[in-house]
Every structure is written in C-alpha cells, then in structure tokens.
Amino acid sequence: MVRNGCQNLPQFKKLLMTLCTGLYSEITRTLPALESLQNTLEPQFSPGFRQRSPLPGDPSTSSMMSKLNQLTSMVSSLEEKVKTVLMEGAAVKHRRSLIPPIIFEVKVDSLGISQKTHLKVDVETGKLIIKKAKDGPDEKYYTSKKILQLIKSQKLPNKLVIVLETEKEKIQRKEYIFADSKKREGFCQLLQQMKNKHSDQLEPDMLSIFTGTWNMGDAPPPKKITSWFLCKGQGKTRDETADYIEHDIYVIGTQEDPLNEKEWVEILLRSLNEITNAEYKLITIQTLWNIRIVILAKQEHAHRISHICTNSVKTGIANTLGNKGAVGASFMFNGTSFGFINSHLTSGSEKKLRRKQNYFNILRFLVLGDKKLNPFNISHRFTHLFWLGDLNYRVQLPNSEAENIVHKIKLQQYPELLAYDQLNMERKESQVFLHFNEEEITFPPTYRYERGARERYCYTKQKATGMKYNLPSWCDRVLWKSYPQMHVVCQSYGCTEDIMTSDHSPVFATFQVGVTSQFVSKNNPGDSDVQGYIELLNCKATLHTKSHTKFYIEFHSYCLENMVKSSEAEDQEGDSGTLVVKFGVLPKLTPIISDLEYLLDQHLLICIKSSDTDESYGEGCIALRMEDPQQQQFPFLTLLTHHGEETGHFQGEICLQAACGKQREKLYDFVKIEKDETVAQKQQIKAQCSQQWEQSSRSGKCFPDKMARVRGAPLCTAETFSSIDQAAQALSNQVKQSPPNTPQGFKGPEQRSKPSSPVMGRGDTPITPPARSSTPSQKFVPCSSARGAANIRQQDSGHSTAQPDMPEMVDNPLYAPVNSGSHQPPAQCRPPKPPEPAARTAPAIRQRSMTCSSSDKKPVAPDKTAAKHMASINIIRSEQVPSISKPRPPLPVKLQGGRDGQHT
C-alpha cells in the first residue's frame, strides 16, 4: 500500500496541480466581475444615496450586501491560497510556472516634492497595484482593462506616463521616474504581457522573437548555455524583471558546429526547459556542413505555423564547398511571412570584396518563401526577414594598431572602433544589406578571444607563411528588414560573457514584431456586399538606366487572388542617366476581402519590367496602411531595388475603397513614445525634406498640395531639394529610421550614401574600390563622438570642395602623430593630405561578374606595384566592354532538397 501510494504520488500531484490551475483560472475570471458588481451596488445602498426602491433600511438589502462582501473576501482569499500552491508546487530551477508579482520602486512628483512609491505588477491576476511601502498594504489597484496606455519619454529615458481610467470613467495621467531605462523597459514588457494574457482576442497580433548566432569553433558547448537565451552579458540586455517572460519563437544559428542535429536540438530544448515552463516544438532545422539553423516555437503556436521551407547555398572555394555559405528557413505565421538566414561568409580582413560577392550569391540563389514571388529575391519576399551569422567583417585598421584597439575595448570606446568596421562602412556606401537595419552595438568585439577566458584577445597566430593577424572585430551580427509600416522593435542586442569554449562569444538579439491574425470581419452583414478595390493614380517610376524601352508593372500581394499585370507605360522621359516612366491608367486591384481592417494590414509588391525582355528593372513594396482610415486617397513613395542594388523609386497615389468597420486595437500600440520638442522639430524638418520629390530631375518642382502634405507635413518649396539625388538620399534616411515605438537609445542605421553604380545591365558606371596606398600604415586617431566617426568615406576624393574651419585637434598621447596611410581616419579627424604622386596608367580591366568572383588569369604586370594596382580595379559592366571568352567559375550550388521542399 505504501509503495503503491509513493508510486502514485507524482500522478496525484500532477492531478492536483491541474485542478488548482483550472480553479485559479475560474477565480481570476470571476473575481473582477464580482468586485465590479460590489463597487456598483455599494454606493447605491449607502445612507446618503437617494433612490426609489428598495429602501436603505430594508433588512433584506443589508443582508444581501453583507453576504456579497463576505463572498468577495472569500474568493479573494481563495485566489491567494491557490496561487501560493501553484507557485510552490511547480517550481523549477530558474523560474516558476506563473509569473510572480514584481515590485518596482519609482519616484512621483507631488506638489513639486519627489516622493518614493512602489508599483506592483501582478501579471496572473491582471492588476497594477500602487503602494507606498514595499511590504505595506495595497492602497489602490487598476485592472488590465483600466490601463489604457504607456507613454515613454524620449528626453528622459527613465520616465514613464501611465494613462488610466478611473472608476468614474475619467482619464488620468500619472508620471513615474524609474531607477533606470532598463527597469522602465522591464515594467513595460510585463504590462504588455499582462494585457496580452487578459485580452479578449483569440489570435496574437504581436510576437516576441529570440535570434542568436554563435561560431562554436568546432568545440562542443559547455554544460550550461542558459545565459545566451536569457540575454545576460554585455550590451543591451534585458532587465532581470523581464526574465520571466518567454519568447514565442527561438531562432538559433551556429557556425563550425561539431554536433549532429539530434544532439544540438536536445541541448537547446533542455536549456529552455531550465528557464521556462513553456513547451517548445521543433519547427524546422537545416544544416550545410557545419552551418546550421534551428527554429523552435511554443507548442500553442504550432497550429498557426504553415508553409515551412528550407534551403541552402554554398559559397566556399569555387562556390562548390559548403564550408562557407548560408542556410535559411521560412514559414507563415497566420497571415505574416517570416524568413531567417544564417550565413558564414569568407574570413580575412583583406577579403571584403569576396564577402560582398558571398552576400549577392546568397541574396539571389537562396530559394525560400512563396514560389509565386519569382520576380523578387528574399529581401522582398517576407514581412519580416532576419539575417544573422558570422559575417566575418573586420575592423579595418593596420595590424600595428592591435594593442591600441585592445586598449580602447577596455575603455569601452566602441564607437571609435565601429567607425572602422567594414560592415558599417559598406552599408554606408549601400554596397551590402541595402535597407536592412541593425541595432546600436554597445558590446565588445565578439572575435577573437582566448578560449576558456574572456579577459584577453588572441589576435596573432604563427603560421608557416608568417605571423597571421586577426584583430578583435564584430564578426557576429544580427540584421533585419521588414515591410513598411510594420511594427518592429529590437529590445536587446548583446553578447554573453560566461560561454568560453570558442574564440567567438554568442550574440543574442530579441525583437517585438507585429503580426496579422486570421481575419474575421466585425462588420454588419449588410456591409459585406460592398466590393472594395485598390486603385493607383498618377504613378511614375524614376529608373537609374539609359535603356529606352517600354515598361509595365506586375502587382503581387497576399490580398490578391492572382498576379495583376498592367499595360505598357504611355510616355517616358529621362535625363542625366535616369529614365522617368509615367504610367497612365493602371488596373483596379480587387482584393479577396473588402474589409478595411483587413486591407490596412496588407502590402503591395511591385515589379517594373521591360516589355521587350520581361527583365526586372526594380522591385518595391507599398504599405496600404494610412494615418487616417477615413482618408480614401493618400500619396506613397517606395524605393526600387534589384539584386540588392538601388535602381530608382516609384511614386503616386493610392485610392482605397473598402467597407468601413470597427478597427481592432493592436497590442503593440499600447506603448507609445512621447517625443521631446527638440527631437520632434528635427524629425518634422526631416519629414518635410524627405517627403517632397521633384516632378523630374531638372524641373525643380515639388508635388501638388495633395501629394506634398504627406502625413500632415507642410508643403515644401522648390528649393527644398537641389537635385533628385539629394531627395533620394533624404528619403533613404527616413526609411531607415527606427519605428515610431522604438525605445530611447534604440536607433536605426546611419544614413547611407547613394550607391556608386546602378544594377548590372542598367547603367554605365562600374563599382571601383579605392586603390590601396603603398605608404606604410600609420596609427589612427580616435574621434570625439560616434557620429563624427561615422562619416567615413562620405566625400568624393575626386572633387575638391570648400571645407569649413575645423577646431584645432590635440594629439592623443596614446597615439603617434597622424598622417596619411592605407587606412584613412574619419574626415573630421584627418589632417591635411600630403601631395599625391602622379597617377599611374591603369592596366586592362576585366568584365564584371555578378554571381561569383572571377578566376580569370590576370595579364602579367610589369612589376609588383602595377599588379597590386591592377587587383584594386573593379570590373565594369558588359555594356561597355566587348565580351571576352574566358572560363568562368561555377555558380553557387543549391541543395536539391531545398527545391523539392518548396511550398506554394
């Protein structure tokens, strides 16, 4: 009997826990209604309240109120006891099955006097409790439905305004000052979790996604890697108060992974089981040699995920070896498409051009997502696209600066080193990752550490050919790109400190993204007969090409049953290397659902093609969401790209006709940003400049009033832009800004210059990297600010312009005097250049290859200097030079399994 009782004890505990969980759920659902009834009836039966019947002195009335008070007290007491049982009975190593109440100490101003108070967030009961003392009694509480909005201050990173609804249905604003910005962010995340838990919506409209990348260095991981998934370490990390919030999706990318797939998945699931009680399911896994991507999702989301697809591309030696390359996975979450890429690019500080070629190969040949979107590469196929991995971009400084780099890392002077980061420099020149975003880096370089420690970098290695240098660099990165008007906020970006089996540190980045749920119309049955349509008016495209041909547009969207093709353009005109194509009457697009709420979450993908060859000259994305839902016609403008290069822009107006209905409240709109006046004025000026475009490249005219007043911006004059290039640059800067709900300190990428060349086959200007100087390398000078250091290579060295007087610079005692060298410091820190030697005669140049690096044999150079100069000259386009028959390397290899697994 005793033995059987002991054996059945775990089952009994499990049954008890199930019953307690169900009881607790019923109590939390019933108690708010009971308290609301009590608050409604109590003032009506008070002696001072006049009413007709029943009388206040009626014994039955007093008895009913007394019983109601006892019932409320009993249910509240039972709620606390059941919650205690659940907390104690379901304990795990790190966290419990339920999020415990968390108390924040804040300051509040009362009559000019700052006083301390405490905010207690109880996610499970859905209450925000205000109390003076941490251990004192609860003074006042607000249910989740009474908390209307959280407003973050942009000027003060630790200030928060809470908009509440009082008992008398009045709106009240309360301002609180938190200890720091991380505490404020943790409080907001808990409040959002509480709103989501007690929401009436059946489908989520916001997800939390964890992305992590780690070069494992061909070594097995340590026994404990939970700090990676808890975002503990250096950089933008999560506050400990948010540790209890699980992520909906985990995406883990590894390189040089020595484990097999089964071993690695077991380690990941076991680690997540240590820090959360949620059940996770393996969605998909893809491996190319030792490059791997794993996607895990909560079991409750399994039925919402469909159309899973995986693929890989090899970019190793001769594009046939898989030691370098990329693996990718994609799926649909209800009505939102997600794409994830894990890549390992070519290593070596001097192989920047080879890494660029790797990027273009992956962009063009990695097949993911809906195969109906054939005209678009992976950068346009997904609502949210995340690109992570060991990108191997280095800090471009001479090897003699190794000790100075390590010294600056110890002083946490990261911005001065990031100014020389190759990836940042390439993105500023729009060479790679066009229109992608990356969070601000506030953590040390993740490569190359000494294995088993994180106190020192091993940047030298003796080889048979000599000493090999690997300067500390940010090789491991996470970038993302989303459709316009989609909610995306990067909540953390950093690296761990306690995982030391590799010479790389694992990198983590967490995101809050908006998703579209399975749509169910809330309109009246009579409104369903209204047939909606999408009409584009006054459209024109400005293309960076000299090709004179006729063009048409293809429209793709999830809200359309099939692709729609327009007629050819009526007329076209161009000047100075651009072509302006004006489209006449475009076809009306009929959506599959005519509800306005559904259409506001949709996007149109456009592809401008040549009528002669059906070749794409640019692709773009247009959001159907507008500021004012009552506005039926509004302007739009989207940048066009092709094969990762910018090819122009497309503009016009959208007329949206649909059945109007009740708009669904989005959970991510619960948190807003209250902008500072100075910041708001700057952004208003930037909006005025970026939203005004000229009628043509030489006309100097702005939009008509209707087109110019985008989102309520005032109309600009003809002098707003001096040229179409400046307008494009301003728009590009606006597109790359962080979403409006981005927290303080989280900013988008810096402004990038216009690409130096149009896409292959479109123009006549080759991409020519600067020639390396033969002078010995010199030490660099740190800049005074990150923004000043970020302006590297902004000016064209071939044009001499007048420079304003710069303040006199003082030499840093840590460095030698500054002079010209092979690695130029930022423009603000450069001294006057010495006279340059006479230009050398350039040798014969070779053709450009967009798909792989050329392996053609170079002509014999007269000396080493000429050969070195020849290697620095970039290839040009096939339109300029006659074709030369030479052997070409094979194209990147795609796995056949990825093609076979493609879903429609």
Side-chain angles (χ1 to χ4, degrees), residues 353-371:
L353 294 179
R354 178 63 181 170
R355 280 189 285 275
K356 176 182 177 181
Q357 202 65 58
N358 293 162
Y359 165 75
F360 282 111
N361 291 340
I362 297 169
L363 195 68
R364 296 182 61 185
F365 298 106
L366 191 64
V367 181
L368 295 172
D370 190 353
K371 70 177 184 180

Side-chain angles (χ1 to χ4, degrees), residues 207-211 247-249 251 338 340 386 509-511 513:
L207 294 178
S208 177
I209 298 179
F210 173 93
T211 59
H247 299 287
D248 296 287
I249 298 173
V251 181
F338 284 90
F340 302 93
F386 298 89
T510 59
F511 299 89
V513 301

Side-chain angles (χ1 to χ4, degrees), residues 552-616:
Y552 66 92
I553 305 178
E554 285 185 359
F555 297 96
H556 300 255
S557 177
Y558 288 114
C559 68
L560 302 178
E561 187 173 357
N562 296 303
M563 181 270 293
V564 178
K565 180 178 177 181
S566 73
S567 57
E568 294 181 350
E570 293 182 354
D571 56 354
Q572 51 187 341
E573 57 184 12
D575 191 10
S576 66
T578 62
L579 188 69
V580 179
V581 183
K582 297 182 179 179
F583 294 90
V585 179
L586 294 174
K588 288 186 177 181
L589 308 178
T590 304
I592 55 178
I593 300 177
S594 299
D595 197 289
L596 181 62
E597 180 183 352
Y598 168 80
L599 291 178
L600 290 180
D601 289 333
Q602 303 303 313
H603 295 80
L604 281 180
L605 291 176
I606 63 168
C607 180
I608 300 178
K609 289 187 174 183
S610 167
S611 301
D612 299 333
T613 61
D614 291 330
E615 183 182 6
S616 174

